[in-house]
Amino acid sequence: MTMGALGPAIAVLLVLFVFFVGFVARRIEARKGAPAPVPRPAWVSAPSVPAGVRESIDLRQSLRLMSQTHGPTLQGLEIRLDLVLPDEPLRVFAVPEDLQNLLGEIVDMAACMLQGGAALQVLARVDGHHAVINWRDTGDESPCLARAFDGAGGTMASRALSCQAIAARYGARIYAAPSPLGDRSITLRFPIHGPRKTPESGVRL
């Protein structure tokens, strides 16, 4: 091939090379300007606990045990624990140790965040087909326990995520929301396990 014939071929190659370099540069700039991917919280993909290792547990018993185990710690910090339980059972399907770890972690967070003279209110109740525990702290400042669960971050955010991970393994949720205790509460919501009887009619649901 003569030099005259090579000229057009070289020109075409140069055009293609310039086009390729421009394309790569535009891709790099686009990636720089794109927002960073948001990582999924660990609790979102928490694996479910197999049914074979779970037990039918009355949340009232778990909350009484929580009060006996962690009440002295709160009392030593001059934090009052106000626990209100319903007359009817609150049965959930879980591993007892996991449930106690979850409840204990919430109380430990409150012990770290609340000042002396504050109170930790805990209300257990039935809401439709869910067993619900509401938590709210009261004191000189606005309720602070819910801040750890409202997605705003902070020093307690990682512990809140751990609580959410445990709850998610049982199809439960824990989140900040208003409750019968007032604004700035946190709610732990479990599916009720098995039929229940309404106190008004005695009908099993």
Side-chain angles (χ1 to χ4, degrees):
M1 183 178 293
T2 64
M3 292 297 297
L6 285 174
I10 293 174
V12 171
L13 289 175
L14 285 174
V15 170
L16 291 175
F17 177 75
V18 171
F19 176 81
F20 175 75
V21 170
F23 173 77
V24 172
R26 288 193 297 271
R27 294 280 294 183
I28 292 175
E29 288 299 319
R31 289 191 176 186
K32 286 182 179 180
V38 179
R40 296 180 67 191
W43 61 269
V44 172
S45 55
S48 178
V49 176
V53 299
R54 302 193 197 189
E55 299 178 19
S56 180
I57 304 170
D58 187 348
L59 274 179
R60 298 178 304 170
Q61 297 176 357
S62 300
L63 288 168
R64 291 189 186 105
L65 180 59
M66 176 204 73
S67 178
Q68 296 169 4
T69 304
H70 298 273
T73 300
L74 295 178
Q75 186 176 6
L77 297 171
E78 298 183 348
I79 299 172
R80 189 177 75 254
L81 177 62
D82 295 335
L83 177 60
V84 179
L85 302 176
D87 293 330
E88 64 177 307
L90 294 175
R91 294 210 165 273
V92 299
F93 200 39
V95 175
E97 292 78 8
D98 278 357
L99 190 53
Q100 286 304 139
N101 289 338
L102 173 57
L103 300 178
E105 182 68 3
I106 297 172
V107 176
D108 287 343
M109 291 173 64
C112 292
M113 300 178 73
L114 304 186
Q115 302 294 323
L120 178 61
Q121 299 175 317
V122 184
L123 170 64
R125 59 192 178 91
V126 173
D127 183 14
H129 294 282
H130 291 88
V132 174
I133 306 175
N134 299 121
W135 313 70
R136 189 176 188 271
D137 57 277
T138 63
D140 295 335
E141 301 179 359
S142 61
C144 58
L145 185 58
R147 289 201 299 267
F149 291 88
D150 64 7
T155 57
M156 291 290 166
S158 61
R159 298 183 70 172
L161 287 175
S162 296
C163 292
Q164 290 172 325
I166 296 174
R169 296 176 67 195
Y170 298 100
R173 298 172 56 212
I174 180 168
Y175 53 92
S179 79
L181 296 176
D183 294 336
R184 305 296 294 166
S185 302
I186 62 174
T187 294
L188 175 58
R189 182 178 294 271
F190 270 94
I192 285 182
H193 180 245
R196 67 182 182 87
K197 184 184 294 183
T198 60
E200 295 85 2
S201 64
V203 176
R204 296 178 69 86
L205 300 179

